[in-house]
Amino acid sequence: MKSNNTIFNKLPTLIYIVTVFIFISAFSGCSQSKNEPEIQKQSHESTQEAEKIPDDLKKLEYSIESIFKILNGPASKNVQENMQNDSSESASQKTGMQTQKNHQTGTQNQSIQQSSSQNQEKNSDNQTSGEKEESKQEGLQQNQVQDIWSEVNFTITNMHYQWNGYLPVAAKKGASKKQVDDFSNALNYLTVTSTGKNKLETFLSANSLYSLIPDFARLYRTENSPEIKRIRYYVRNIILNSEVPNWEQALNDTNNLKSTWAIYKNTIPEEQHENADRLDYSIYEIEKAVNNKNVQLIEIKGKVCMTNIDDLEKSLEESQQNKSSIDK
């Protein structure tokens, strides 16, 4: 009986302790539930915050496109326009190229003068005017070819410096060892291939290097998907492999183009559907040309595809720039 009375006397104290504990727990729970949405919101905003592709990576892409432009290949006009508006380093690169061109022009003028001097000597030997003109044209053509490949080699050499500058940035961003090695090996292969001065082989090597650009671009949370660049790679590879000809690879690239485009077009905003539809039809057209193994048609349809890719990419970029300016 005494024991029961003791418990009874302590009961108010126990009730008070339990009540306080429940109150503290409830308050803590409310506070936590109140803070959690804010934390989740901040986390969501940070993960959704858009990033820009670094200039170092852009310059590598521009340099690859320069090779196609210099050699009169299937180059992206959109990327070339961006390159013209690029930073001071790009301007410096062009200045360097111009200096080299001036030097080559001087060499070329010397060659022309020498050719003229030789022609005068030949003229004294009663050489016909037709033979003199033919000799002069051959000399000019050789100098032009040398000038073009000198510019290609200059561009590729500069790419090694660009890659060295971007490499630490890519590693810090989380690029895998395989990504880094693949790009480095592809750049080395392009360097070696270009020494053979074979346009088609150089184009294939340059496009193989370009295929790795989208993978690095995907390291960044960009507003627009970089897969548009992979679509450009497949179209260009179809054009080039049809010229070899390597129909097995061209067909494989066509299938990859279709599957990549099928996924990518679902991400395109409604206001861009007109550009997307044009590209969609042009992809259908180049597929038919590949199935018919018609090289001439593939070249034409490929150029149409490249133009439509440029138009869509440029329109998406302009739309995003307008949106960013409004948000500011």
Side-chain angles (χ1 to χ4, degrees), residues 192-204:
V192 174
T193 302
S194 65
T195 60
K197 297 182 179 180
N198 182 299
K199 279 189 178 184
L200 187 54
E201 289 181 1
T202 302
F203 286 153
L204 287 167

Side-chain angles (χ1 to χ4, degrees), residues 145-210:
V145 170
Q146 184 178 357
D147 181 59
I148 288 171
W149 283 103
S150 294
E151 190 171 352
V152 169
N153 291 333
F154 179 87
T155 301
I156 294 174
T157 299
N158 195 55
M159 286 176 66
H160 284 272
Y161 288 94
Q162 292 172 338
W163 170 237
N164 183 254
Y166 174 62
L167 188 50
V169 179
K172 186 177 180 180
K173 190 59 181 174
S176 66
K177 183 178 183 300
K178 185 178 185 306
Q179 274 183 280
V180 171
D181 288 344
D182 286 349
F183 195 94
S184 181
N185 292 336
L187 178 56
N188 291 342
Y189 185 70
L190 171 61
T191 307
V192 174
T193 302
S194 65
T195 60
K197 297 182 179 180
N198 182 299
K199 279 189 178 184
L200 187 54
E201 289 181 1
T202 302
F203 286 153
L204 287 167
S205 298
N207 202 40
S208 179
L209 182 63
Y210 183 83

Side-chain angles (χ1 to χ4, degrees), residues 213-320:
I213 293 292
D215 295 328
F216 283 97
R218 286 180 68 86
L219 295 173
Y220 307 90
R221 296 186 300 271
T222 56
E223 291 286 350
N224 299 318
S225 171
E227 289 301 294
I228 188 71
K229 301 180 189 301
R230 204 179 308 277
I231 292 169
R232 178 181 287 118
Y233 157 73
Y234 284 129
V235 170
R236 189 152 51 195
N237 227 38
I238 291 169
I239 298 171
L240 298 174
N241 277 287
S242 68
E243 293 180 15
V244 174
N246 184 345
W247 293 114
E248 182 180 356
Q249 185 61 50
L251 287 168
N252 187 50
D253 289 327
T254 303
N255 292 330
N256 287 329
L257 170 64
K258 288 168 57 183
S259 60
T260 303
W261 169 243
I263 297 172
Y264 176 77
K265 69 179 179 180
N266 292 325
T267 68
I268 299 174
E270 182 70 28
E271 62 269 19
Q272 301 295 338
H273 275 196
E274 185 176 344
N275 287 325
D277 287 343
R278 281 200 294 268
L279 179 54
D280 191 49
Y281 284 119
S282 63
I283 289 175
Y284 173 70
E285 290 291 323
I286 197 173
E287 179 189 9
K288 290 196 300 181
V290 172
N291 289 333
N292 292 328
K293 296 183 178 180
N294 189 315
V295 179
Q296 184 178 6
L297 270 179
I298 291 172
E299 183 180 359
I300 296 171
K301 300 298 183 182
K303 288 180 179 178
V304 174
C305 274
M306 292 287 287
T307 299
N308 288 335
I309 291 169
D310 285 342
D311 290 344
L312 177 58
E313 185 179 38
K314 185 175 182 179
S315 183
L316 287 168
E317 289 172 352
E318 289 176 348
S319 176
Q320 185 53 45

Side-chain angles (χ1 to χ4, degrees), residues 45-59:
E45 288 177 350
S46 64
T47 56
Q48 294 299 315
E49 186 178 352
E51 294 178 302
K52 292 184 178 180
I53 294 177
D55 288 342
D56 289 334
L57 181 57
K58 287 182 180 180
K59 288 167 187 173

